[in-house]
Coordinates of all heavy atoms in Angstrom, one line a residue:
E188 N 17.2 22.9 38.1 CA 18.5 22.7 38.7 C 18.5 21.5 39.6 O 19.5 20.8 39.8 CB 19.0 23.9 39.4 CG 20.4 23.8 40.1 CD 20.8 25.1 40.9 OE1 20.0 26.1 40.8 OE2 21.8 25.0 41.5
H189 N 17.3 21.3 40.3 CA 17.3 20.3 41.4 C 16.4 19.1 41.1 O 16.3 18.2 41.9 CB 16.8 21.0 42.6 CG 17.7 22.1 43.1 ND1 18.9 21.9 43.7 CD2 17.5 23.5 43.0 CE1 19.5 23.1 44.0 NE2 18.7 24.1 43.6
W190 N 15.7 19.1 40.0 CA 14.8 18.0 39.7 C 15.1 17.2 38.5 O 14.3 16.4 38.0 CB 13.3 18.5 39.5 CG 12.7 19.2 40.7 CD1 13.0 20.5 41.1 CD2 11.8 18.6 41.6 NE1 12.2 20.8 42.3 CE2 11.5 19.6 42.6 CE3 11.2 17.4 41.8 CZ2 10.7 19.4 43.7 CZ3 10.3 17.2 42.8 CH2 10.1 18.2 43.7
T191 N 16.4 17.3 38.0 CA 16.7 16.7 36.7 C 16.6 15.2 36.7 O 16.3 14.6 35.6 CB 18.2 17.1 36.3 OG1 19.0 16.7 37.4 CG2 18.3 18.6 36.1
Q192 N 16.8 14.5 37.8 CA 16.8 13.1 37.9 C 15.5 12.5 38.4 O 15.3 11.3 38.6 CB 17.9 12.5 38.7 CG 19.3 12.9 38.2 CD 19.6 12.5 36.8 OE1 19.3 11.3 36.4 NE2 20.1 13.4 36.0
F193 N 14.5 13.4 38.7 CA 13.3 13.0 39.3 C 12.4 12.3 38.4 O 12.1 12.7 37.2 CB 12.6 14.3 39.9 CG 11.4 14.0 40.7 CD1 11.5 13.6 42.1 CD2 10.1 14.1 40.2 CE1 10.5 13.3 42.9 CE2 9.0 13.8 41.0 CZ 9.2 13.4 42.3
D194 N 11.9 11.1 38.8 CA 10.9 10.4 38.0 C 9.5 10.6 38.7 O 9.2 10.0 39.7 CB 11.2 8.9 38.0 CG 10.3 8.0 37.2 OD1 9.2 8.5 36.8 OD2 10.6 6.8 37.0
P195 N 8.6 11.3 38.0 CA 7.3 11.6 38.7 C 6.4 10.4 38.7 O 5.3 10.5 39.4 CB 6.7 12.7 37.8 CG 7.4 12.5 36.4 CD 8.7 12.0 36.7
F196 N 6.8 9.3 38.1 CA 5.9 8.1 38.1 C 6.5 7.0 39.0 O 5.9 6.0 39.1 CB 5.7 7.6 36.7 CG 5.4 8.7 35.7 CD1 6.2 8.9 34.6 CD2 4.2 9.4 35.8 CE1 5.8 9.9 33.7 CE2 3.8 10.4 34.9 CZ 4.6 10.6 33.8
L197 N 7.6 7.3 39.6 CA 8.3 6.2 40.4 C 7.5 5.7 41.5 O 7.4 4.5 41.7 CB 9.7 6.8 40.9 CG 10.5 5.8 41.7 CD1 10.9 4.6 40.9 CD2 11.7 6.5 42.3
V198 N 6.9 6.5 42.3 CA 6.1 6.1 43.4 C 5.0 5.2 43.0 O 4.7 4.1 43.6 CB 5.6 7.3 44.3 CG1 4.6 6.8 45.4 CG2 6.7 8.1 44.9
L199 N 4.3 5.6 41.9 CA 3.2 4.8 41.4 C 3.7 3.4 41.0 O 3.0 2.4 41.2 CB 2.5 5.5 40.3 CG 1.2 4.8 39.7 CD1 0.2 4.6 40.8 CD2 0.7 5.7 38.6
K200 N 4.8 3.4 40.3 CA 5.4 2.1 39.8 C 5.7 1.2 40.9 O 5.4 0.0 40.9 CB 6.6 2.4 38.9 CG 6.3 3.0 37.5 CD 7.5 3.1 36.6 CE 8.4 4.3 37.0 NZ 9.5 4.5 36.0
E201 N 6.4 1.8 41.9 CA 6.8 1.0 43.1 C 5.6 0.5 43.9 O 5.6 -0.7 44.3 CB 7.8 1.8 44.0 CG 9.1 2.0 43.3 CD 10.1 2.7 44.3 OE1 9.7 3.3 45.3 OE2 11.3 2.6 44.1
D202 N 4.6 1.4 44.1 CA 3.5 0.9 44.9 C 2.7 -0.2 44.2 O 2.2 -1.1 44.9 CB 2.5 2.1 45.1 CG 3.0 3.1 46.1 OD1 4.0 2.8 46.8 OD2 2.5 4.2 46.3
T203 N 2.7 -0.2 42.9 CA 2.0 -1.2 42.2 C 2.8 -2.5 42.3 O 2.2 -3.6 42.5 CB 1.8 -0.8 40.7 OG1 1.1 0.4 40.6 CG2 1.0 -1.9 39.9
F204 N 4.1 -2.4 42.1 CA 4.9 -3.7 42.2 C 4.8 -4.2 43.7 O 4.8 -5.5 43.8 CB 6.3 -3.4 41.9 CG 7.2 -4.6 41.8 CD1 6.8 -5.7 41.1 CD2 8.4 -4.7 42.4 CE1 7.6 -6.9 41.0 CE2 9.2 -5.8 42.4 CZ 8.8 -6.9 41.7
K205 N 4.7 -3.4 44.7 CA 4.6 -3.9 46.0 C 3.4 -4.7 46.3 O 3.3 -5.5 47.1 CB 4.7 -2.7 47.0 CG 6.0 -2.0 47.1 CD 6.0 -0.8 48.0 CE 7.4 -0.2 48.2 NZ 7.4 1.0 49.1
G206 N 2.3 -4.4 45.4 CA 1.1 -5.2 45.6 C 1.1 -6.5 44.7 O 0.1 -7.2 44.6
S207 N 2.3 -6.8 44.1 CA 2.4 -7.9 43.2 C 3.0 -9.1 43.9 O 3.4 -10.1 43.2 CB 3.2 -7.6 42.0 OG 2.6 -6.4 41.4
G208 N 3.2 -9.1 45.2 CA 4.0 -10.1 45.9 C 3.5 -11.5 45.7 O 4.3 -12.5 45.5
A209 N 2.2 -11.8 45.7 CA 1.7 -13.1 45.5 C 2.1 -13.7 44.2 O 2.6 -14.9 44.2 CB 0.1 -13.1 45.7
A210 N 2.0 -13.0 43.1 CA 2.3 -13.5 41.8 C 3.9 -13.6 41.7 O 4.4 -14.6 41.1 CB 1.8 -12.5 40.7
V211 N 4.6 -12.7 42.3 CA 6.1 -12.8 42.2 C 6.6 -14.0 42.9 O 7.4 -14.8 42.4 CB 6.7 -11.5 42.9 CG1 8.2 -11.7 43.2 CG2 6.5 -10.3 42.0
Y212 N 6.1 -14.3 44.1 CA 6.5 -15.5 44.9 C 6.1 -16.8 44.2 O 6.9 -17.7 44.1 CB 6.0 -15.4 46.3 CG 6.7 -14.5 47.2 CD1 6.0 -13.4 47.8 CD2 8.1 -14.6 47.4 CE1 6.7 -12.5 48.6 CE2 8.7 -13.8 48.3 CZ 8.0 -12.7 48.9 OH 8.7 -11.8 49.7
Q213 N 4.9 -16.8 43.6 CA 4.5 -18.0 42.9 C 5.3 -18.3 41.7 O 5.7 -19.4 41.4 CB 3.0 -17.8 42.5 CG 2.4 -19.1 41.8 CD 2.6 -20.3 42.7 OE1 2.2 -20.3 43.9 NE2 3.0 -21.4 42.1
L214 N 5.7 -17.3 40.9 CA 6.5 -17.5 39.7 C 7.9 -17.9 40.2 O 8.6 -18.7 39.5 CB 6.6 -16.2 38.9 CG 5.3 -15.9 38.1 CD1 5.4 -14.5 37.4 CD2 5.0 -16.9 37.1
A215 N 8.4 -17.3 41.2 CA 9.8 -17.7 41.7 C 9.8 -19.2 42.1 O 10.7 -20.0 41.8 CB 10.2 -16.9 42.9
L216 N 8.7 -19.7 42.8 CA 8.6 -21.1 43.2 C 8.5 -22.0 41.9 O 9.1 -23.0 41.9 CB 7.4 -21.3 44.1 CG 7.2 -22.6 44.8 CD1 8.4 -22.9 45.7 CD2 5.9 -22.7 45.5
T217 N 7.7 -21.5 40.9 CA 7.6 -22.3 39.7 C 9.0 -22.5 39.1 O 9.3 -23.5 38.6 CB 6.7 -21.5 38.7 OG1 5.4 -21.5 39.3 CG2 6.6 -22.3 37.4
M218 N 9.8 -21.4 39.1 CA 11.2 -21.5 38.5 C 12.0 -22.5 39.3 O 12.8 -23.3 38.7 CB 11.8 -20.1 38.4 CG 11.3 -19.3 37.3 SD 11.5 -20.0 35.7 CE 13.3 -20.1 35.5
T219 N 11.9 -22.5 40.6 CA 12.6 -23.4 41.4 C 12.2 -24.9 41.1 O 13.0 -25.8 41.1 CB 12.4 -23.2 42.9 OG1 12.8 -21.8 43.2 CG2 13.1 -24.1 43.8

Side-chain angles (χ1 to χ4, degrees):
E188 181 180 356
H189 300 286
W190 295 82
T191 55
Q192 301 301 314
F193 188 79
D194 181 350
F196 311 119
L197 178 62
V198 173
L199 183 59
K200 288 187 283 189
E201 289 188 339
D202 285 350
T203 303
F204 187 51
K205 288 177 180 180
S207 307
V211 166
Y212 284 120
Q213 183 57 47
L214 288 174
L216 189 61
T217 297
M218 284 301 297
T219 298

